[in-house]
Amino acid sequence: DTAVSQTPKYLVTQMGNDKSIKCEQNLGHDTMYWYKQDSKKFLKIMFSYNNKELIINETVPNRFSPKSPDKAHLNLHINSLELGDSAVYFCASSPGLVNEQFFGPGTRLTVL
Amino acid sequence: QKEVEQDPGPLSVPEGAIVSLNCTYSNSAFQYFMWYRQYSRKGPELLMYTYSSGNKEDGRFTAQVDKSSKYISLFIRDSQPSDSATYLCAMSAGGAQKLVFGQGTRLTINP
């Protein structure tokens, strides 16, 4: 029933590891996003895909690589994790490029 | 200077009070304005969505946009303890332009 879902909900890992976060939406939306929310609650866009095409790619280290296998899924792979990558990562979706975005529950990443 | 400025608070008011939350912005191209509510350890939830200037009301919530002053507000009437959350403003120029968020205001409604 969940509109935008993410797995895992929590992720604890060591520095240098590679990890992936998965996102799925069942709203039939064309556009999906990845956001990073830091400890001060500041929410910042990382990537956006529209119909599987990358349309927003903010200044993000190339250790972060998004992948959209289809319109309903957007995954985020992170290589060589660093302490500064610790944050909550949110997936969101919207109907086309209209900006009413609907967020998932978040993935809390802790890098030790 | 950040594109969107929002006082992080915290803001604490008694139950039943009228709450006013505000954001200012610098990008005159912004024309879509949103307010999100985020409970602790949850994802942001869309509360209000407005286009251009004017007011929009939904139940106890009223959103106001003043593009001439680059200032938006969210008013909560008859505030309830369940309104305790962080409120984030967000805005965009539209199309493929990114949504820019304020830092969020942490609000507590005391019974």
Side-chain angles (χ1 to χ4, degrees):
Chain A
D1 289 333
T2 305
V4 182
S5 59
Q6 296 178 229
T7 53
K9 193 170 183 180
Y10 298 96
L11 189 51
V12 181
T13 188
Q14 298 288 328
M15 219 166 37
N17 284 350
D18 303 338
K19 290 294 178 186
S20 291
I21 307 172
K22 295 186 177 182
C23 178
E24 177 181 1
Q25 55 94 5
N26 62 7
L27 296 166
H29 289 169
D30 289 335
T31 311
M32 296 185 73
Y33 311 81
W34 277 112
Y35 284 87
K36 179 180 180 181
Q37 188 171 47
D38 61 25
S39 56
K40 293 186 177 179
K41 294 286 190 180
F42 201 54
L43 196 62
K44 192 171 181 184
I45 184 98
M46 299 173 70
F47 302 103
S48 174
Y49 272 76
N50 184 56
N51 281 318
K52 302 195 300 174
E53 180 184 347
L54 182 66
I55 57 170
I56 293 176
N57 185 354
E58 286 293 291
T59 308
V60 176
N62 57 16
R63 297 183 294 104
F64 291 79
S65 51
K67 184 171 282 188
S68 181
D70 55 58
K71 283 191 339 180
H73 297 85
L74 180 62
N75 304 322
L76 182 65
H77 188 77
I78 315 170
N79 289 324
S80 304
L81 278 155
E82 300 178 356
L83 294 176
D85 297 332
S86 295
V88 182
Y89 292 84
F90 286 102
C91 176
S93 72
S94 66
L97 297 176
V98 172
N99 289 291
E100 294 174 279
Q101 296 182 18
F102 298 85
F103 283 77
T107 295
R108 187 171 294 269
L109 171 65
T110 302
V111 182
L112 303 175
Chain B
Q1 183 189 7
K2 293 178 184 171
E3 273 190 293
V4 178
E5 297 277 0
Q6 184 177 8
D7 186 340
L11 180 62
S12 182
V13 302
E15 183 176 355
I18 296 175
V19 177
S20 172
L21 304 167
N22 313 293
C23 288
T24 59
Y25 62 95
S26 57
N27 189 344
S28 57
F30 287 153
Q31 52 182 340
Y32 295 90
F33 303 92
M34 277 142 274
W35 285 95
Y36 283 83
R37 177 175 63 196
Q38 186 175 20
Y39 291 115
S40 182
R41 294 184 173 262
K42 299 288 185 184
E45 170 195 9
L46 182 64
L47 271 181
M48 301 289 279
Y49 173 73
T50 55
Y51 170 72
S52 193
S53 285
N55 294 356
K56 184 174 184 179
E57 188 173 322
D58 184 1
R60 296 184 296 109
F61 298 89
T62 299
Q64 286 185 354
V65 175
D66 182 349
K67 289 187 70 180
S68 63
S69 302
K70 297 191 180 68
Y71 188 88
I72 70 170
S73 301
L74 178 71
F75 296 95
I76 307 174
R77 291 184 300 280
D78 188 24
S79 55
Q80 305 293 312
S82 59
D83 295 328
S84 298
T86 296
Y87 289 79
L88 301 126
C89 63
M91 48 199 80
S92 167
Q97 297 303 306
K98 64 183 179 183
L99 195 58
V100 181
F101 282 82
Q103 188 177 349
T105 300
R106 187 175 171 186
L107 173 67
T108 300
I109 309 296
N110 301 304

